[in-house]
Amino acid sequence: MSELPSTHGALICIALPGLAISGELGQLTGQGLDGFYRGGRRLLSRCQVRVAGREPLAVQARMTGADSARFVATLRASPAAGPDPDVLVERTRRAEGTERITVRNASARPLRLPVEIALGTDLAELGAVASGRTGPQLPATVRDSGLHWATTDAAASVTADPPPSDVLASAGLLRWELELPPGGTATVELRVRLDGAGPVRAAGRTTTSPIASARATGDDPRVAPLLDTAVADLQALLLRDATHPSDTHLAAGAPWRCGMAPAEALAAARMALPLGTRLAAGTLRTLARTQLPGHAARAGMIPGPRRDAGPLLPPSCTGTEATLLFPVLLAEARRWGLPDRETRELLPAAERCLSWLRTTVGDQPYLPDPQPAGPVRCETQAHAYRAALLGADLLDAYGRPGAAELRQWAQALRAAFRTGFWIEDHGGGRPAAALAPDGRPVPHLGAAAAHLLDTGLLGSGRFARGLLDQVQTEQLARLLGTPAMDAGWGLRGLGAKERGHNPFGHRSGAVRVHETAVAVAGLAAAGYEREAAGLLRGLLEAAEHFGHRLPEMFGGEQRTAGSAPLPHPAACRPAATAAASAIMVLTALAGVRPDAPARTVTLSPVRSAPLGELGLTGLRLAGAPFAVRISRLGLAMVEAAAEGLHLGV
């Protein structure tokens, strides 16, 4: 079995459907993930630059944006002149499929420098690259001012400006002879194109992007780059619906999941609601078109694949999660200012999701996952309970039937859950991870329990009542703050003391950024500020080590003095839920609780102000810019808001 190519050391430039990946040396070697991609196909896997017959020495590589990277290398063209390099080679790579190579003469005399660029590709699909099943490099032919490659189902070309003085197709070489005066520069630009396709038009790089360019300022210098990077990554991960280009949604993450993943797209759109409701609307419309029709048992579901759940439970169904998230996102998007017309258009799809929920549970208090005979998962009950309450709220707002039945079922679920899911022990008790099909509680504790704290936003800035009672909630808060769960960088997917714990397990011990953000927001809303602040500070520390671009997960090894978080070799970075998590945790500090239909917003800030003074500008609420500031004393004030929007109590 081949190893999945590692991503943690790669520089990933993304502006979907374009992608460019390389190591820190800047050369595309044809190995591993290296290459320019479009729509999941590698168009160019090799791009190696030689100057004066030698490979320049790499001295710096850095991301200059979500979609671009800059590489600097040096060369001694005259070794006899001393140890100092006299030639600089700068490469600027963009996900859209361009690379600009600039050669600078830093010496006091003119230089004649031969430059060679070796190009090649296998035109492999990303899945084949991931599994190590790529074929050999394809033979090239000369086309225009560059090279061309083709298979039976795809073709790509690279053109150069200025045109090379020599092209050697058999070796895949482009050559130039550069005459550089002292201090002079010369630039070559390469353009990588998929035959039959126009230039990459990234959905996030238009003036009509659905994501607002929010900014953060404050005492903690990490909040500004964290939010800047999160917004840029969300923009870069935007995709247009192929059949309805005006509707956009987020891809799950790069490089492995550059397509639609319904549960992740909905979760990320929900966390990103402070940046506007247009992303939520586009995501909901896109997924409504996939909803299963008819009157069968699965009618009304948003389809989704199975998801690994670690060693202690069978795979879960992301379709279940997506179906339950759909009405929640619609209800909360309405609170943030989704126009009434759009809400009404999406309401029938939300009603079908809620009908599926009621039909599936029948007379039972719990929702199995997957249906019909799967385990009764803790987080699935949290999602179902929230969907029922927020869905009922939505139905009432539009005079639709079914709200009372949903609330009645939610009440029965809450009563059953508080006894059936709570395991008493000498430590004060804990929620079960699941109930097995035979009713036996599965006792392990993991980050999925954080979803019990996420009850959802109702009117007047109120959160729905939780599945746990106050004593149980306090105990869960305490458990999430212990070293067994908090690695010092965030929440482990599975507690360190649990059987089957693996610090690199996707769901069995790695730190999961999404669940950590859910815990921070839920703990803050419930008043457990110390635990929320501890997880938040750890996440900020981890983000700094990752260049403020959080991966979807990373190693769950315990933090010690002077240590750094361990990258997970298979994690997506950027990832939609990780980027949106930054939005969620920062706005949670301000406790922004909107009710756009009632023209009010309530602020419930974290009184301990764990990051000191914090200002958030460029948010969107009720269709207008919104800005809020939290003082060092934990007091919040609105600095910009829609006309007629009042501060609630």
Side-chain angles (χ1 to χ4, degrees), residues 227 230-231 233-234 237 250 264-265 267-275 279 513-514 517 550 575-587:
L227 186 56
V231 171
D233 283 345
L234 291 174
L237 287 165
L250 290 167
E264 283 83 353
R270 182 178 176 229
M271 291 190 286
L273 280 172
L275 303 183
L279 172 63
V513 172
H514 177 198
L550 280 164
T577 54
S581 290
I583 316 300
M584 186 182 206
V585 296
L586 292 179
T587 52

Side-chain angles (χ1 to χ4, degrees), residues 529-553:
E529 296 189 0
R530 181 179 63 84
E531 291 82 1
L535 289 171
L536 172 62
R537 292 191 186 99
L539 201 60
L540 281 174
E541 289 283 348
E544 195 168 24
H545 285 282
F546 287 111
H548 306 287
R549 179 185 250 187
L550 280 164
E552 62 176 325
M553 62 183 170

Side-chain angles (χ1 to χ4, degrees), residues 343-570:
T343 306
R344 289 180 182 275
E345 289 174 354
L346 288 161
L347 187 58
E351 287 184 283
R352 289 191 289 272
C353 291
L354 296 170
S355 294
W356 170 85
L357 169 60
R358 288 298 298 122
T359 300
T360 304
V361 295
D363 296 329
Q364 302 301 312
Y366 299 131
L367 176 64
D369 179 22
Q371 295 82 38
V376 176
R377 299 173 196 269
C378 165
E379 67 273 25
T380 301
Q381 310 320 303
H383 297 323
Y385 176 74
R386 184 182 58 212
L389 292 183
L390 270 65
D393 191 54
L394 188 63
L395 295 177
D396 275 349
Y398 288 93
R400 302 293 299 160
E405 186 182 7
L406 284 167
R407 290 193 181 97
Q408 184 178 3
W409 176 79
Q411 184 177 359
L413 170 61
R414 184 170 63 239
F417 190 94
R418 290 180 177 181
T419 56
F421 259 82
W422 192 257
I423 301 172
E424 296 291 350
D425 58 29
H426 294 301
R430 60 168 60 187
L435 302 181
D438 62 4
R440 174 182 51 85
V442 180
H444 67 262
L445 182 66
H451 291 285
L452 292 170
L453 300 168
D454 179 11
T455 57
L457 186 65
L458 296 172
S460 304
R462 295 178 297 113
F463 283 114
R465 186 180 177 189
L467 274 176
L468 299 178
D469 63 28
Q470 186 174 348
V471 173
Q472 292 169 335
T473 302
E474 183 176 354
Q475 173 65 0
L476 177 59
R478 187 190 69 79
L479 289 171
L480 295 181
T482 62
M485 284 302 301
D486 181 2
W489 312 108
L491 278 184
R492 294 182 173 94
L494 182 65
K497 296 181 179 180
E498 305 294 335
R499 177 174 60 88
H501 171 79
N502 172 4
F504 284 99
H506 275 64
R507 304 276 167 179
S508 57
V511 170
R512 300 199 58 82
V513 172
H514 177 198
E515 278 81 4
T516 302
V518 168
V520 169
L523 289 166
Y528 299 101
E529 296 189 0
R530 181 179 63 84
E531 291 82 1
L535 289 171
L536 172 62
R537 292 191 186 99
L539 201 60
L540 281 174
E541 289 283 348
E544 195 168 24
H545 285 282
F546 287 111
H548 306 287
R549 179 185 250 187
L550 280 164
E552 62 176 325
M553 62 183 170
F554 48 91
E557 186 178 69
Q558 189 64 41
R559 178 181 174 182
T560 58
S563 68
L566 295 173
H568 193 293

Side-chain angles (χ1 to χ4, degrees), residues 198-254:
V200 172
R201 300 186 183 278
R205 296 183 62 193
T206 67
T207 56
T208 58
S209 170
I211 296 172
S213 298
R215 304 297 295 271
T217 58
D219 291 337
D220 193 316
R222 298 169 297 188
V223 297
L226 178 67
L227 186 56
D228 289 347
T229 303
V231 171
D233 283 345
L234 291 174
Q235 300 273 18
L237 287 165
L238 280 174
L239 285 173
R240 293 186 179 91
D241 186 305
T243 57
H244 297 77
S246 61
D247 288 338
T248 54
H249 62 272
L250 290 167

Side-chain angles (χ1 to χ4, degrees), residues 5 7 12 19 21 33 37 126 253-258 570-574:
T7 61
I12 300 177
L19 195 64
I21 307 174
L33 282 168
Y37 296 78
L126 182 57
W256 311 121
R257 305 176 71 202
C258 290
C572 286
R573 190 169 74 100

Side-chain angles (χ1 to χ4, degrees), residues 133-303:
R133 294 183 288 103
T134 58
Q137 296 276 297
L138 298 170
T141 57
V142 178
R143 174 180 286 189
D144 300 328
S145 57
L147 294 172
H148 180 258
W149 302 266
T151 64
T152 55
D153 61 347
S157 59
V158 174
T159 56
D161 183 21
S165 55
D166 190 19
V167 180
L168 188 60
S170 60
L173 277 179
L174 308 182
R175 292 174 174 165
W176 292 261
E177 289 287 339
L178 303 183
E179 302 278 355
L180 297 180
T185 63
T187 296
V188 172
E189 181 165 292
L190 304 178
R191 292 187 174 273
V192 185
R193 290 287 180 264
L194 177 67
D195 281 17
V200 172
R201 300 186 183 278
R205 296 183 62 193
T206 67
T207 56
T208 58
S209 170
I211 296 172
S213 298
R215 304 297 295 271
T217 58
D219 291 337
D220 193 316
R222 298 169 297 188
V223 297
L226 178 67
L227 186 56
D228 289 347
T229 303
V231 171
D233 283 345
L234 291 174
Q235 300 273 18
L237 287 165
L238 280 174
L239 285 173
R240 293 186 179 91
D241 186 305
T243 57
H244 297 77
S246 61
D247 288 338
T248 54
H249 62 272
L250 290 167
W256 311 121
R257 305 176 71 202
C258 290
M260 164 64 86
E264 283 83 353
L266 288 163
R270 182 178 176 229
M271 291 190 286
L273 280 172
L275 303 183
T277 60
R278 289 177 53 216
L279 172 63
T283 304
L284 290 167
R285 283 193 290 264
T286 298
L287 288 174
R289 290 188 280 269
T290 73
Q291 196 170 32
L292 298 179
H295 301 284
R298 287 167 51 84
M301 278 197 80
I302 306 293

